[in-house]
Amino acid sequence: MQKLLVMKKKFDVELLPEAIDFLENLDEKARDKIYYNIKKSQFVYDDDLFKKLNSSIWEFRTLFNNKSYRLFSFWNKTEEKETLVVATHGILKKTQKTPNKEIKKAEEIRKQYLDNNIKNK
């Protein structure tokens, strides 16, 4: 008799408006590949899919048709949800190194998001 392997999702993902806009402006195949990689990263730890950039910012990573797509993200643990990863915004990466200004932008969005959530409680 075969055993059924059930994998547990490690976190949920919330896309902020700028991340949604980024994804909606991509061609369908690139967008589908990014969504597939996000979903996969919820179940399997893989640095090629979801990588820590600094103490608070992570990136969902997708390579598709020789183009590197990045969705910047951060972790947010709340009472309602065990673990939530919030995607701030995305870029089509043109260089080997992740631009510092994009990491700083993700940090600022994170700060605003967390401040708003504290105020709304």
Side-chain angles (χ1 to χ4, degrees):
M1 181 186 267
Q2 277 188 320
K3 278 190 176 182
L4 181 61
L5 178 63
V6 179
M7 295 172 62
K8 186 174 187 276
K9 185 164 49 165
K10 295 172 177 55
F11 55 85
D12 289 319
V13 176
E14 177 182 343
L15 300 173
L16 295 181
E18 200 171 327
I20 293 169
D21 289 346
F22 171 74
L23 291 166
E24 286 179 350
N25 286 308
L26 298 175
D27 71 74
E28 186 178 355
K29 288 184 179 186
R31 183 174 48 246
D32 288 348
K33 178 68 175 185
I34 293 168
Y35 279 128
Y36 172 83
N37 282 349
I38 289 171
K39 187 59 120 176
K40 185 176 177 182
S41 71
Q42 290 177 287
F43 293 92
V44 178
Y45 179 76
D46 183 344
D47 238 10
D48 288 337
L49 298 177
F50 190 53
K51 182 179 179 184
K52 187 174 188 173
L53 296 177
N54 66 22
S55 62
S56 58
I57 302 301
W58 291 63
E59 66 181 357
F60 288 105
R61 305 157 54 96
T62 298
L63 181 62
F64 181 72
N65 281 345
N66 294 319
K67 294 180 183 174
S68 295
Y69 299 91
R70 299 293 187 260
L71 268 181
F72 295 90
S73 310
F74 62 89
W75 293 85
N76 182 29
K77 295 187 181 203
T78 64
E79 287 117 34
E80 301 90 53
K81 295 190 179 194
E82 183 113 352
T83 309
L84 176 68
V85 172
V86 181
T88 60
H89 69 290
I91 63 168
L92 176 56
K93 200 166 138 196
K94 294 176 170 56
T95 63
Q96 201 64 5
K97 189 165 171 25
T98 300
N100 273 336
K101 71 176 189 166
E102 300 298 341
I103 296 170
K104 289 192 184 324
K105 179 178 180 177
E107 289 170 337
E108 186 57 38
I109 293 170
R110 174 183 178 270
K111 183 181 179 323
Q112 289 172 357
Y113 179 92
L114 295 176
D115 287 349
N116 286 339
N117 279 354
I118 289 170
K119 289 176 191 169
N120 293 332
K121 287 195 174 190

